Amino acid sequence: MRSIWNGAISFGLVSIPIKLVNATENHSVSFRQIHTEDGGRIRYRKVCELEEREVTSAEIGKGYEDADGSIIPITDEDLAALPIPTARTIEIVAFVPEDRIDPLQIDAAYYLSANGVPAAKPYTLLREALKRSQKVAIAKYALRGRERLGMLRVVDDVIAMHGLLWPDEIREPEGVAPDAQVTVRDAELDLADALMDTLGEVDMSTLHDDYRTAVEELIAAKVEGGAPAEKAPAGEAGGGKVIDLMAALESSVRAARTARGEAAGTGEPAGSGEDGTGAGEAEVTRLGDRRAKKASSSPRKTASARGSAPAAPKEVGGKKSTSTAAKKKDTPAKKAAAKSTATGRRATAGKADAGRATAGKATARTAAGAAAKKTAQKKAEPAKKTAAKRRASA
């Protein structure tokens, strides 16, 4: 690999000649700007705005723009004269545990290669010292016109250096966290833990850039003159929708277990349930839909609200008791029967939840009234017969 910087590691009084090599590479597909009418490349020309003419690279220098807009020229000689001890040296200033480094500070990564045979021994000494101490080295170095902060650590048998941002370059996360006070229940945390355990770990080497692959396939298809293969559209984003968090977590856990060949039960293979079909999918329900379901699932409350309406008349012996009372003459027994029937109605209407018991009482009262009517009629029959005989003899 081609080195981008040559210098030395300063480790106390020990100096280790090294070469700096990029540890990463960018695989993103890059595009050029073109003229859409004819496909010609669009290029930028460096033009002096005072003379309105294009200038060459030899005529271009550096300048700092002051607050009032004026430009202060800075030459390479001015920068070279600055007292920078790290101009060609990676100066180690401390050794600290790796967890002391905030991942937000980590920037570009480099490999440090021993430069020449004499550098092999001190290079190996520093590498093994870092391994045994389980610490990382904090260093300062200069690269591309500015002094930088770095972290040295061991990767396999190589010393790697991560560029670090200076502490004052890390912004405070003001206004980023949610403003609302939210309480997370233990049951929700348990489901989140179950989802994390189900997803498990991943071999980082198996991850790849699907979008870059799709772009490369698109370019290859256009080169061959054909159309790229159509793929299924991505799912719609769920932003802004209020969902049942518990149901969503349960559904996620089941889906993850299904993808891993497990059923909803912990560690059981898919299809191992009693019916052999495995667990069903949980349904994600909006909060508004849940309220509607609760309202529709309470018929007793609805019936109670309608308690002021009269209850339907009950039938006794296949005939309605109210119609039987209406057809009879106005005798004391009839009035008692009608009164008991009305009382039964009011009791039924006032107690909708105990309808059957009330109806039974009303039926018993109606039967008692009917028996009283029959008794009264039997007592009245001798008097009617006597009156009939008197009219016949007269």
Side-chain angles (χ1 to χ4, degrees):
M1 291 183 284
R2 185 174 63 88
S3 64
I4 61 172
W5 184 89
N6 291 345
I9 299 175
S10 176
F11 178 30
L13 297 178
V14 178
S15 181
I16 309 171
I18 56 96
K19 295 187 291 183
L20 196 66
V21 179
N22 279 322
T24 61
E25 55 187 355
N26 188 356
H27 288 167
S28 298
V29 179
S30 59
F31 298 98
R32 303 291 187 184
Q33 290 186 327
I34 62 170
H35 188 197
T36 55
E37 292 186 3
D38 54 19
R41 282 280 305 276
I42 302 297
R43 300 180 182 274
Y44 292 96
R45 297 179 179 179
K46 299 177 180 179
V47 176
C48 174
E49 63 179 17
L50 296 179
E51 300 181 7
E52 296 184 352
R53 69 176 182 86
E54 186 176 357
V55 296
T56 62
S57 298
E59 299 177 274
I60 299 174
K62 299 182 180 68
Y64 175 80
E65 185 174 1
D66 204 356
D68 59 0
S70 60
I71 302 296
I72 302 172
I74 302 294
T75 65
D76 292 338
E77 290 76 14
D78 294 333
L79 296 175
L82 293 178
I84 303 178
T86 58
R88 306 300 296 179
T89 303
I90 298 175
E91 181 183 355
I92 296 177
V93 297
F95 292 89
V96 300
E98 189 171 358
D99 58 9
R100 289 270 303 275
I101 306 301
D102 189 341
L104 287 174
Q105 287 186 258
I106 297 177
D107 199 3
Y110 308 94
Y111 289 135
L112 302 182
S113 173
N115 191 4
V117 176
K121 181 66 177 286
Y123 183 96
T124 304
L125 172 65
L126 176 59
R127 183 190 67 196
E128 296 304 316
L130 289 173
K131 281 184 179 181
R132 190 169 71 173
S133 67
Q134 296 183 349
K135 293 183 177 181
V136 296
I138 303 300
K140 296 170 69 177
Y141 65 101
L143 181 66
R144 298 188 180 99
R146 55 170 292 196
E147 189 172 51
R148 302 169 187 264
L149 191 64
M151 175 186 73
L152 277 63
R153 69 183 184 95
V154 178
V155 177
D156 295 332
D157 290 331
V158 176
I159 299 175
M161 183 175 70
H162 295 273
L164 299 178
L165 299 174
W166 296 99
D168 60 358
E169 293 180 317
I170 304 298
R171 300 173 63 183
E172 293 294 330
E174 297 178 358
V176 178
D179 294 333
Q181 295 294 331
V182 179
T183 301
V184 179
R185 296 178 293 169
D186 290 339
E188 294 169 337
L189 284 173
D190 292 341
L191 279 173
D193 290 340
L195 178 58
M196 293 168 63
D197 292 339
T198 304
L199 292 176
E201 298 182 356
V202 65
D203 182 1
M204 297 296 290
S205 63
T206 63
L207 302 179
H208 59 279
D209 187 349
D210 293 327
Y211 180 76
R212 177 170 60 90
T213 302
V215 172
E216 291 173 347
E217 291 175 356
L218 170 66
I219 295 173
K222 285 185 172 291
V223 169
E224 296 175 359
E230 294 185 1
K231 294 186 177 181
E236 294 183 359
K241 293 182 180 179
V242 179
I243 63 172
D244 188 330
L245 181 58
M246 290 292 290
L249 287 171
E250 290 172 356
S251 179
S252 299
V253 171
R254 288 180 179 137
R257 285 175 176 166
T258 301
R260 297 182 62 178
E262 298 177 3
T266 304
E268 295 182 0
S272 61
E274 294 181 0
D275 58 355
T277 59
E281 292 294 331
E283 180 182 359
V284 179
T285 308
R286 297 186 182 181
L287 295 181
D289 297 341
R290 293 187 68 191
R291 297 192 189 100
K293 287 182 179 179
K294 287 183 179 179
S296 63
S297 62
S298 55
R300 289 191 176 182
K301 294 183 180 179
T302 307
S304 300
R306 298 175 183 172
S308 58
K314 302 294 180 179
E315 293 186 5
V316 180
K319 296 181 180 180
K320 293 184 180 178
S321 59
T322 54
S323 62
T324 303
K327 291 179 181 179
K328 299 294 181 180
K329 294 182 179 180
D330 260 348
T331 63
K334 297 174 191 175
K335 292 180 180 179
K339 185 176 181 180
S340 64
T341 304
T343 304
R345 286 181 181 177
R346 288 193 295 270
T348 303
K351 298 180 180 180
D353 292 338
R356 292 183 179 180
T358 305
K361 291 179 181 179
T363 303
R365 290 173 182 172
T366 304
K373 292 175 193 177
K374 289 181 180 180
T375 303
Q377 288 175 0
K378 287 180 180 180
K379 290 181 179 180
E381 283 179 0
K384 289 181 180 181
K385 291 179 179 180
T386 304
K389 289 178 180 180
R390 288 177 181 177
R391 284 195 297 269
S393 63

